[in-house]
Amino acid sequence: MVPIADRLLAGRPYPFGATWDGLGVNFAVFSAHAHKIELCVFDASGRKEVARLALPECTDEVWHGYLPDARPGLMYGYRAHGPYEPRHGHRFNPHKLLLDPYAKRIAGEVRWTDALFGYRVGSPRGDLSFDRRDSAAAMPRAIVTVDDMFSWENDKRPDIPWAQSVIYEMHVRGATIRHPDIVVPDRGTFSALADPRFIDHLHTLGVTAVELLPVQAFLQDRFLAEKGLRNFWGYNTLCFFAPEPRYLADGSLMSLQIAIRRLHAAGIEVILDVVYNHTCEAGEAGPTLSLRGLDHASYYRLQPDNPRQLVNDTGCGNTLNLPHPRVLQMVMDSLRYWATMFHVDGFRFDLGANLGREASGFDPGSGFFDALRQDPVLSRLKLISEPWDVGPGGYQLGNHPSGFAEWNDKFRDCVRRFWRGDEGQRPELAARLLGSGDIFEHHGRRPWASINFVTAHDGFTLQDAVSYSQKHNEANAEDSRDGQNENFSANWGVEGPSDDPAIIDVRERIKRAMLATLLFSHGTPMLLAGDEIGRTQHGNNNAYCQDNETTWTDWDAARLRRNQAMMRFTARLLELRRSHPSLRSDRFLHGRVELLPGLRDVGWFDVDGGPMPDEAWNQPQDHTLALRRACRVARSGIDATLLLLNAGAARQNFKLPAPALPWVTLLDSAAIERASRDAVHDVVRVEARSIVLLAAHIDGKAL
């Protein structure tokens, strides 16, 4: 190891973090209220502190210093001196080693001990007490890295148009840890995403993007560790710049870069699920790991009338103070880093409504939204929000600014209820099938703004949605207090697995019908990884802490006949969506455009083939619906599709609406192995709990 200087040079206040210039390393960190910040340098093992040097300069509340001859690979941390006055929002404690918020790579994990807390755990004075134990032995180290080692050569973002996008939500570890064709060292890591056999699965399915659950370094929570559980999902970020170390098969950042490079070469985009609404330091009684120790009062939102307590609009104990310019800068720097260093194609913002909160509440013109929309790099990427949090006025579906797509939970609930056979679902389902214009058609927004899904990581899998009427979260050891109680699910006769052929048949029918509804709706469809091969979580609808067979995709189950059939069926749905632009319109339709006499761009019909009467929409016991859509296809004519839905328990005949078109059957979810392209003329029989898709093409020369 190169000898460490006995003091730092002045260095520069920018860029933040640790920056190597070939001659040494510049360190810069923000703190508005610290009196002194020290850089702690460790030996190559990370165990022994070899130097503790004060950052010599503070410019515009940025502390900085330069360490000559330091090189990439150097391990370091910070200690911050300042007031320990919880009643005023200050929680400085120099006995606690702090992780650099801008660390690009970290070594080691948090090892739980009471020394990690700034106060004496168990003290009668609670967080007003002060703990003098050194936390360094229990803390990970930041590692100095070099950003520009990887050559992207001719990497080109796929830039899939929104209207053609199909998202595959997946967990890096959960989706690959049991994949038999991937070598063991790569399973559960970024390297598995680069494996040609995994990419082949994505190609066979036909998705255009993978959306990865959090891959930024996250904390293994103490309460989970004490119960023998783990933070599997990763929604408790420790560092906004560093990838989760467990996902780096060889410890190198290149493994993620290689994975994204290969996915791009295969035409598949990569979207990251990111958590900027809170950090892993929890509430005021949480540990001191990074931001809390550097400047608690600046990085977090405090209760105005009691700064000792934190605003908890996230339900996770703390809320990042995004209106603060330096905190906003940190988030924007993080997003740009992932976009430029790793070439990611978009972001899904966890509790996105929280990021739009100003002092007055949610604001579509918040500083964060404005900064993101004007950014020359980030504004061109796919931006998706989870449009809610748990604070006042926290449900903001449809209220985000243009340029954003939003998770549409109303789509999920309506589709599940319709196919469960609930009454009175036809009017809402009609809106959901056409991109939820009642929610999103304003400010120039398009149907793609609706991220449609019937399952996601949070909730039941598709198999469980037809196998369980109640959640079964006993393994989480929270006395079933976690997870949603209402899932709009049904078990169709038996709670859990069944070998009854009749029950299996109806479950498979409902699964196929829900997937067909999803993929034949306007908007952006999102599939949950493993649904195509029958993945189950055994009724657990909040498996955030289950890093085991509960959440790992069972690739052996893909060999079961019914799961192979489901895989082929799902791929067929995606093929049809690609082939027929009327199934994925990029405009909201209102039936005002007449393409041929009697053929408008959209029309609703009853089973008798006539236009749906106003009074029929409100017949609560009717479980059928017919939707015809049509659009012009450049130079080739008109593409028309007719979707016939029957959620009832009995077969139903649908008379085809006028005008007569050369209809052919492309898909019948009740007979998935039957050959397609059957010509039809007057009446179509739709089996119970099934969907039939018809299509007609009118050649441009005949117009």
Side-chain angles (χ1 to χ4, degrees):
M1 184 173 182
V2 176
I4 302 299
D6 59 358
R7 68 184 61 185
L8 298 174
L9 303 180
R12 296 170 297 154
Y14 189 83
F16 287 107
T19 307
W20 181 61
D21 64 4
L23 301 176
V25 177
N26 189 80
F27 297 88
V29 61
F30 162 73
S31 179
H33 298 99
H35 298 160
K36 180 173 75 170
I37 291 184
E38 295 173 309
L39 172 71
C40 299
V41 180
F42 293 86
D43 66 7
S45 71
R47 298 189 185 93
K48 181 180 179 182
E49 184 178 315
V50 296
R52 187 177 299 187
L53 309 168
L55 296 179
E57 296 289 338
C58 182
T59 304
D60 296 331
E61 301 178 335
V62 178
W63 297 80
H64 54 96
Y66 183 86
L67 183 59
D69 300 320
R71 299 175 181 174
L74 182 79
M75 295 192 185
Y76 70 99
Y78 291 122
R79 296 179 188 271
H81 298 253
Y84 187 82
E85 300 172 352
R87 288 192 177 95
H88 297 96
H90 300 305
R91 297 178 179 271
F92 291 95
N93 188 331
H95 303 286
K96 311 305 168 185
L97 185 72
L98 306 174
L99 189 66
D100 183 357
Y102 278 72
K104 307 295 177 55
R105 188 173 153 218
I106 62 177
E109 291 186 347
V110 172
R111 294 190 297 159
W112 283 106
T113 168
D114 288 351
L116 289 168
F117 295 80
Y119 62 95
R120 295 290 297 185
V121 175
S123 168
R125 299 185 66 235
D127 64 315
L128 296 177
S129 62
F130 188 75
D131 188 278
R132 299 182 182 278
R133 287 173 289 184
D134 196 317
S135 69
M139 280 292 295
R141 313 310 191 214
I143 304 175
V144 177
T145 63
V146 181
D147 287 351
D148 56 359
M149 294 286 288
F150 186 75
S151 174
W152 287 95
E153 295 183 351
N154 297 319
D155 177 68
K156 183 178 180 181
R157 298 183 191 276
D159 284 332
I160 307 295
W162 268 112
Q164 299 174 25
S165 296
V166 179
I167 298 171
Y168 188 75
E169 191 200 27
M170 60 168 288
H171 189 284
V172 170
R173 179 171 168 82
T176 64
I177 191 66
R178 297 182 66 182
H179 200 298
D181 297 327
I182 298 175
V183 296
V184 173
D186 289 348
R187 295 181 189 177
T189 72
F190 294 129
S191 296
L193 304 183
D195 191 286
R197 286 150 295 195
F198 184 75
I199 293 176
D200 283 347
H201 178 75
L202 301 177
H203 266 167
T204 300
L205 194 57
V207 298
T208 68
V210 291
E211 181 175 302
L212 307 180
L213 266 68
V215 300
Q216 295 171 338
F218 53 86
L219 181 71
Q220 293 301 325
D221 307 75
R222 189 177 200 177
F223 79 97
L224 292 177
E226 291 173 346
K227 293 190 292 187
L229 301 172
R230 293 186 66 83
N231 176 6
F232 176 67
W233 285 351
Y235 290 96
N236 221 4
T237 311
L238 175 64
C239 183
F240 295 123
F241 292 79
E244 168 58 31
R246 290 196 306 160
Y247 298 162
L248 299 171
D250 59 359
S252 167
L253 301 182
M254 286 188 184
S255 62
L256 176 55
Q257 293 168 316
I258 291 170
I260 294 176
R261 179 73 178 85
R262 290 187 177 175
L263 286 165
H264 281 181
I268 297 171
E269 296 181 318
V270 178
I271 298 170
L272 300 187
D273 194 336
V274 288
V275 186
Y276 295 112
N277 56 81
H278 75 283
T279 76
C280 66
E281 290 184 303
E284 50 271 8
T288 297
L289 308 175
S290 181
L291 304 183
R292 171 162 289 139
L294 287 168
D295 194 345
H296 180 81
S298 292
Y299 283 106
Y300 295 117
R301 291 177 55 205
L302 310 180
Q303 294 284 359
D305 56 348
N306 183 6
R308 178 183 173 185
Q309 295 184 342
L310 290 159
V311 171
N312 187 21
D313 289 337
T314 64
C316 300
N318 64 61
T319 304
L320 270 185
N321 186 20
L322 254 66
H324 191 292
R326 289 300 189 191
V327 181
L328 177 60
Q329 180 182 6
M330 176 182 68
V331 171
M332 296 298 294
D333 287 348
S334 170
L335 291 168
R336 274 190 296 270
Y337 175 73
W338 289 93
T340 56
M341 178 70 170
F342 298 104
H343 286 207
V344 301
D345 303 282
F347 300 95
R348 179 265 188 187
F349 297 98
D350 179 63
L351 299 186
N354 190 267
L355 307 181
R357 285 190 178 273
E358 299 286 348
S360 58
F362 178 82
D363 181 359
S366 72
F368 172 73
F369 290 148
D370 287 348
L372 198 56
R373 294 170 68 203
Q374 64 78 42
D375 189 280
V377 174
L378 302 175
S379 62
R380 293 180 294 165
L381 305 183
K382 286 186 166 68
L383 305 175
I384 303 170
S385 178
E386 182 183 36
W388 49 76
D389 66 13
V390 301
Y395 189 76
Q396 294 295 333
L397 177 66
N399 294 330
H400 284 57
S402 58
F404 273 82
E406 304 175 38
W407 271 29
N408 188 351
D409 62 328
K410 289 186 180 295
F411 183 96
R412 175 199 61 198
D413 296 348
C414 177
V415 171
R416 287 192 184 185
R417 295 187 67 187
F418 178 80
W419 288 109
R420 189 173 66 172
D422 290 13
E423 295 182 351
Q425 297 303 304
R426 289 208 298 189
E428 183 174 0
L429 183 66
R432 304 296 155 250
L433 286 166
L434 290 184
S436 297
D438 57 323
I439 298 172
F440 295 103
E441 192 176 9
H442 58 85
H443 293 89
R445 303 183 78 179
R446 301 287 185 86
W448 59 256
S450 177
I451 302 293
N452 299 332
F453 62 101
V454 292
T455 54
H457 71 275
D458 187 0
F460 279 154
T461 66
L462 187 63
Q463 181 64 42
D464 290 356
V466 298
S467 303
Y468 296 91
S469 294
Q470 306 292 330
K471 65 182 181 182
H472 294 271
N473 297 356
E474 294 79 11
N476 296 355
E478 296 186 31
D479 298 325
S480 293
R481 291 171 297 183
D482 64 310
Q484 295 184 39
N485 292 320
E486 179 54 79
N487 298 280
F488 302 113
S489 61
N491 62 29
W492 302 101
V494 173
E495 188 76 354
S498 173
D499 56 7
D500 184 325
I503 292 176
I504 292 173
D505 178 69
V506 71
R507 287 177 175 178
E508 293 301 304
R509 282 197 185 203
I510 296 296
K511 286 165 57 179
R512 293 193 297 265
M514 287 198 289
L515 282 180
T517 306
L518 170 65
L519 291 166
F520 294 160
S521 294
H522 295 171
T524 305
M526 183 182 77
L527 299 170
L528 175 63
D531 277 352
E532 73 276 15
I533 54 173
R535 188 172 78 86
T536 177
Q537 293 180 167
H538 312 292
N540 193 323
N541 74 347
N542 188 33
Y544 75 101
C545 57
Q546 301 296 323
D547 187 0
N548 50 48
E549 288 82 0
T550 300
T551 51
W552 299 344
T553 299
D554 181 5
W555 291 95
D556 289 336
R559 298 189 178 97
L560 295 176
R561 182 176 177 181
R562 67 173 178 267
N563 290 336
Q564 290 179 340
M566 181 60 73
M567 175 66 188
R568 291 192 297 271
F569 180 76
T570 307
R572 175 65 172 152
L573 295 177
L574 269 71
E575 178 189 0
L576 290 170
R577 182 180 177 88
R578 287 193 300 274
S579 302
H580 293 276
S582 60
L583 297 177
R584 48 179 172 81
S585 173
D586 64 354
R587 297 286 196 279
F588 288 107
L589 306 181
H590 302 282
R592 301 185 188 123
V593 178
E594 190 171 45
L595 303 173
L596 290 174
L599 179 65
R600 295 184 179 273
D601 54 1
V602 63
W604 298 100
F605 304 92
D606 213 337
V607 294
D608 62 2
M612 183 74 74
D614 290 343
E615 62 274 12
W617 283 110
N618 298 314
Q619 294 296 327
Q621 296 181 350
D622 285 345
H623 303 290
T624 57
L625 200 58
L627 167 61
R628 187 181 65 195
R629 289 167 286 186
C631 66
R632 293 191 183 277
V633 182
R635 295 186 300 276
S636 64
I638 293 174
D639 175 66
T641 52
L642 181 62
L643 192 63
L644 309 176
L645 303 91
N646 177 21
R651 151 188 323 153
Q652 180 67 56
N653 289 328
F654 285 77
K655 186 176 180 180
L656 300 184
L661 297 177
W663 295 111
V664 294
T665 301
L666 296 186
L667 180 128
D668 182 345
S669 67
I672 58 173
E673 303 295 348
R674 191 178 72 184
S676 62
R677 304 204 67 82
D678 299 326
V680 295
H681 301 287
D682 298 318
V683 176
V684 175
R685 184 177 69 185
V686 181
E687 298 295 334
R689 304 184 178 100
S690 299
I691 282 182
V692 170
L693 176 69
L694 310 179
H697 181 78
I698 300 92
D699 193 286
K701 296 178 181 179
L703 297 179

